Amino acid sequence: MHRKKILFLLYSMNVGGVEKSLLGLLSAIDLTQYDVHVALAHKQGGFFAMLPKEVTIHQIDCIANNWQALQRPPLETLRRKLFAEGVTWTLIKLALAYIYSKLNKNSYFWMEALMEHESDIEGTFDLAVAYAGPTFDIDFVTCNKVKATNKVGWIHFDISKFGIDKGMTAQLYKGYKRIFIVSEAGKEIFDKTFPQFKQKTEVFHNIVSPLQVRQLAEEGDAFTDSFEGKRILTVGRISPEKGQRVAIKALKSVRENGHNVRWYFVGDGKDMENCKADIKALGLEDCVVFLGTQTNPYSYMRDCDIYVQPSRHEGFCITLAEALCFGSPVVATDFTGAREQLRSRENGFVVGMEASDIAQGIIRALNAPRADVNTSAIRNTASARQLLSLLD
């Protein structure tokens, strides 16, 4: 029997929400019935080894070969090419493409010129999924460098919070049969921005298996200090959009209100030094612990007294969904997807984005009971049918 071939495209398997959600989706697909491929710009990341052995891995050479050019502003790429190669026909075409892109507010023409001589991804597929969208390079490659009967876009974040190329997105997304969006609020924002695609969009929640998460909690590291107060936990890369610096200010307020708490952060990232400077300035050195990147943070989620997600913006926030697999009270800022995740959780609190809001949410959570979590929950394979039905 011919197995249908599915290709997922994303940058890497770094420890992040998009990558983790892909692992959840793959766990809900019967890999004996479908021939699944994953194409990465970089074959690396903390989750790379967790890809199922049945999955075929490709490298997206057309992105890898142009990685530096894609990270720099186009004018910088043109300048470097001019100094390295002089005036060539390739440089002239790139310059004209850049001018045309600027005039039309659409980077498609720049990408088209940059990728002109790059090869397609090898193979022909029944379904190709631009899993890290909307991103101009992954979407461009999916639409122009992949041979597939059906193509799908997948959106993991609130597009109003990022500087997406609306012209290019509008052009490329015409080629998608379906556009999956990970939250109801995210879909509402996308539909308002691109009403021409409203008939194609569909909510596809990230797949989280409570049973699997709880099993992993039995295998991971746990708190090893002897702290006798209340432990607060946050999981996510240390970066401005994840809100750790606001959380640290909130911690100062909670402590000043007489609560004996310590905040533990799982993750690493570019904002680490700023966070440490804030901690020192506020005199919180004994109240904050950085646990580093953890591919299995679930023992910490199980054992913490309060889980807090202080993000400035998200698309759905898979770490919040995972924290809900345990019974601790949960506090989340009012990012896209937070309300729909916490609306049925009595000890879940959605708060504002300011440090004072987060502090008040934590104080409320300190008095909230643990929730009764259904330990018999099983993997949600039904959600995978939203994708697999496109192959019927």
Side-chain angles (χ1 to χ4, degrees), residues 313-377:
H313 49 80
E314 296 278 358
F316 174 78
C317 192
I318 196 167
T319 52
L320 177 59
E322 290 168 336
L324 292 173
C325 296
F326 304 97
S328 301
V330 173
V331 177
T333 46
D334 198 6
F335 52 76
T336 302
R339 290 186 179 275
E340 62 196 85
Q341 288 202 58
L342 293 178
R343 61 191 170 198
S344 61
R345 185 71 171 255
E346 291 186 2
N347 67 347
F349 306 94
V350 179
V351 300
M353 301 284 182
E354 301 299 324
S356 58
D357 301 321
I358 297 170
Q360 288 302 311
I362 291 170
I363 291 170
R364 290 175 66 194
L366 285 168
N367 297 312
R370 292 183 69 87
D372 182 20
V373 178
N374 179 10
T375 57
S376 64

Side-chain angles (χ1 to χ4, degrees), residues 224-333:
T224 57
D225 57 11
S226 56
F227 183 63
E228 296 181 355
K230 297 292 187 179
R231 292 187 172 100
I232 303 172
L233 178 70
T234 293
V235 177
R237 68 182 177 276
I238 311 297
S239 60
E241 65 272 16
K242 296 298 183 181
Q244 287 90 354
R245 295 185 71 184
V246 181
I248 290 165
K249 293 178 183 177
L251 174 60
K252 178 69 171 178
S253 179
V254 174
R255 295 278 300 179
E256 288 177 343
N257 274 273
H259 299 285
N260 185 24
V261 297
R262 181 176 287 177
W263 205 317
Y264 301 77
F265 293 96
V266 170
D268 204 346
K270 60 186 179 182
D271 222 19
M272 179 67 80
E273 292 307 313
N274 288 329
C275 287
K276 289 182 176 179
D278 290 345
I279 290 165
K280 184 176 181 180
L282 295 172
L284 297 173
E285 291 93 337
D286 294 333
C287 309
V288 178
V289 178
F290 290 104
L291 297 167
T293 299
Q294 304 279 340
T295 57
N296 181 357
Y298 306 117
S299 296
Y300 298 116
M301 288 184 175
R302 178 196 62 198
D303 296 340
C304 71
D305 295 290
I306 301 172
Y307 183 83
V308 179
Q309 198 71 50
S311 304
R312 295 183 181 279
H313 49 80
E314 296 278 358
F316 174 78
C317 192
I318 196 167
T319 52
L320 177 59
E322 290 168 336
L324 292 173
C325 296
F326 304 97
S328 301
V330 173
V331 177
T333 46

Side-chain angles (χ1 to χ4, degrees), residues 68-103:
Q68 294 301 321
L70 291 169
Q71 302 310 300
R72 293 191 294 258
L75 281 176
E76 176 65 13
T77 295
L78 290 170
R79 187 185 68 81
R80 287 172 179 260
K81 283 186 172 292
L82 176 62
F83 279 104
E85 304 168 13
V87 177
T88 63
W89 176 235
T90 299
L91 180 68
I92 293 171
K93 286 197 293 184
L94 278 173
L96 291 173
Y98 168 69
I99 294 169
Y100 197 66
S101 292
K102 290 291 287 183
L103 290 173

